[in-house]
């Protein structure tokens, strides 16, 4: 599988059933996102969108056991000109949108603290499993900036407008237990079990019909932005595209033959 040539800031590992584990790999700086990491993530999401090369589900995590991602690399940003800062942020913007638009399901395995752009990155994923010891924050206003990778849009959609305003405007940190109670997380898991549990779920997704998964993801994301009756029609259009697929025929046949289906994404 040739997804990226010798990435400097990422570790790519394939697992059974077409699961790709992507690890943010700058543990010495809290897996902070520098320009190189932003570009490598952008390139990866675009390559997977253009040709998944057998990948059916992605797990995104961080190196080490304490920090998922500390956000943007402020050491790299020190002394940047306006033009340099703007150029870098354009890469980050394109990267986050490419992740949102990725047709494959993506699960964030938040193995530690997720601050600023790290939390925004997790919010761009389809759902989030997190270590019970993880903490979260969007502290950008304490640095004279604001969230700029979807945070002011994705966080309110996950936990509600009032609470999101409070968290973003104060910059205060919150725990995994709070994040779970507020609906930000799908699961809070003991640290030593986080990756194995996330991979287990990813492999379940990967065994399901890949075209169906893609249509579900598209229908939920875009239908949620529509008036309800229009969204219903959008869902039916997505459904109808699956009727004449080999996978639909295989699913019905496997059910009647009482065996596991063998989906090919066709």
């Amino acid at each position: 599988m040739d997804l990226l040539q010798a990435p400097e800031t990422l570790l790519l590992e394939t697992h059974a059933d077409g699961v790709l584990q992507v690890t943010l790999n700058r543990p010495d700086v809290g897996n902070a996102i520098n320009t190189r990491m932003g570009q490598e993530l952008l390139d990866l999401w675009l390559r997977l969108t253009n040709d998944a090369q057998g990948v059916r589900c992605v797990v995104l995590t961080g190196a080490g056991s304490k920090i998922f991602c500390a956000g943007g690399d402020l050491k790299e940003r020190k002394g940047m000109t306006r033009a340099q800062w703007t150029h870098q942020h354009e890469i980050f913007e394109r990267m986050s949108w490419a992740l949102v638009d990725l047709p494959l399901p993506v699960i964030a395995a938040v193995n530690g603290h997720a601050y600023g752009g790290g939390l925004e990155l997790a919010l761009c994923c389809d759902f989030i499993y997190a270590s019970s010891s993880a903490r979260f924050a969007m502290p950008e206003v304490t640095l004279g900036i604001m969230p700029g990778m979807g945070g002011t849009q994705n966080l309110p959609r996950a936990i509600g407008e009032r609470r999101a305003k409070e968290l973003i405007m104060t910059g205060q940190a919150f725990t995994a237990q709070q994040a779970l109670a507020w609906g930000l997380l799908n699961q809070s898991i003991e640290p030593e079990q986080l990756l194995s549990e996330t991979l287990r779920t990813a492999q379940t997704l990967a065994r399901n019909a890949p075209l169906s998964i893609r249509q579900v993801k598209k229908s939920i994301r875009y239908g949620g932005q529509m008036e309800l009756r229009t969204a219903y029609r959008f869902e039916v259009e997505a459904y109808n595209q699956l009727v004449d697929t080999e996978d639909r025929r295989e699913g019905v046949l496997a059910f009647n033959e009482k065996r596991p289906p063998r989906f090919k994404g066709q």
Side-chain angles (χ1 to χ4, degrees), residues 4 26 44 56 65 74 89 116 123 136 142 149 154 182 195 197 202 210 215 238 246:
L4 284 181
R26 303 185 71 222
L44 177 61
R56 293 192 175 185
S65 60
L74 297 182
H89 203 269
L123 283 164
F136 305 84
T142 70
M149 284 172 45
N154 290 330
W182 295 338
L195 190 56
E197 286 296 317
Q215 292 298 87
E246 290 184 22

Side-chain angles (χ1 to χ4, degrees), residues 3 6-7 23 26 31 83 87 89 105 108-109 121 150 160 166 176 179 196 249 262:
L3 291 169
T23 303
R26 303 185 71 222
N31 299 318
H87 172 71
H89 203 269
L121 192 60
E166 178 186 25
S196 61
R249 290 187 282 272
R262 295 182 289 271

Side-chain angles (χ1 to χ4, degrees), residues 10-263:
L10 307 174
L11 291 178
L12 306 181
E13 182 179 355
T14 56
H15 296 270
D17 298 313
V19 174
L20 175 67
Q21 179 182 325
V22 180
T23 303
L24 309 176
N25 190 36
R26 303 185 71 222
D28 53 325
V29 291
N31 299 318
I33 308 170
N34 63 357
T35 304
R36 179 74 183 199
M37 179 183 284
Q39 186 66 58
E40 289 185 346
L41 286 169
L42 171 60
D43 292 345
L44 177 61
W45 306 144
L46 292 177
R47 284 174 184 249
L48 286 170
T49 297
N50 292 332
D51 181 5
Q53 298 186 41
V55 175
R56 293 192 175 185
C57 186
V58 176
V59 170
L60 179 64
T61 192
S65 60
K66 295 183 178 180
I67 300 178
F68 169 71
C69 178
D73 188 338
L74 297 182
K75 290 184 178 179
E76 183 186 48
R77 284 178 162 178
K78 183 180 179 181
M80 274 188 175
T81 65
R82 177 186 176 89
Q84 290 170 331
W85 189 296
T86 301
H87 172 71
Q88 183 199 61
H89 203 269
E90 286 176 353
I91 293 172
F92 292 177
E93 293 164 27
R94 292 173 59 206
M95 178 270 291
S96 59
W97 275 114
L99 175 55
V100 168
D101 289 337
L102 186 66
L104 304 174
V106 185
I107 308 174
V110 179
N111 55 298
H113 297 350
Y115 280 25
L119 176 52
E120 291 182 287
L121 192 60
L123 283 164
C124 288
C125 299
D126 294 299
F127 43 96
I128 305 173
Y129 290 178
S131 165
S132 56
S133 61
R135 289 176 67 82
F136 305 84
M138 285 191 180
E140 285 89 345
V141 297
T142 70
L143 299 169
I145 53 175
M146 63 173 280
M149 284 172 45
T152 64
Q153 305 306 307
N154 290 330
L155 190 61
R157 284 167 168 79
I159 67 174
E161 180 180 327
R162 292 187 184 278
R163 194 176 301 279
K165 283 179 178 177
E166 178 186 25
L167 294 172
I168 295 172
M169 291 181 183
T170 63
Q172 69 185 35
F174 53 99
T175 66
Q177 291 69 39
Q178 290 173 305
L180 181 64
W182 295 338
L184 176 66
L185 304 183
N186 293 78
Q187 291 191 45
S188 173
I189 302 171
E190 291 303 306
E192 62 274 10
Q193 299 173 353
L194 173 66
L195 190 56
S196 61
E197 286 296 317
T198 307
L199 289 171
R200 185 175 294 112
T201 298
Q203 287 164 346
T204 297
L205 298 184
R207 286 191 291 269
N208 289 332
L211 296 179
S212 299
I213 294 289
R214 291 182 181 215
Q215 292 298 87
V216 166
K217 178 170 178 173
K218 181 167 65 175
S219 184
I220 292 174
R221 175 162 294 279
Y222 294 107
Q225 301 171 27
M226 300 174 185
E227 174 270 331
L228 186 57
R229 187 172 294 276
T230 304
Y232 283 158
R233 290 172 177 160
F234 185 84
E235 178 188 80
V236 170
E237 287 299 317
Y239 173 93
N240 286 340
Q241 292 184 41
L242 299 170
V243 173
D244 198 34
T245 64
E246 290 184 22
D247 280 355
R248 192 272 302 166
R249 290 187 282 272
E250 166 63 11
V252 173
L253 184 63
F255 175 84
N256 284 281
E257 294 180 351
K258 297 181 173 56
R259 60 171 175 80
R262 295 182 289 271
F263 294 122

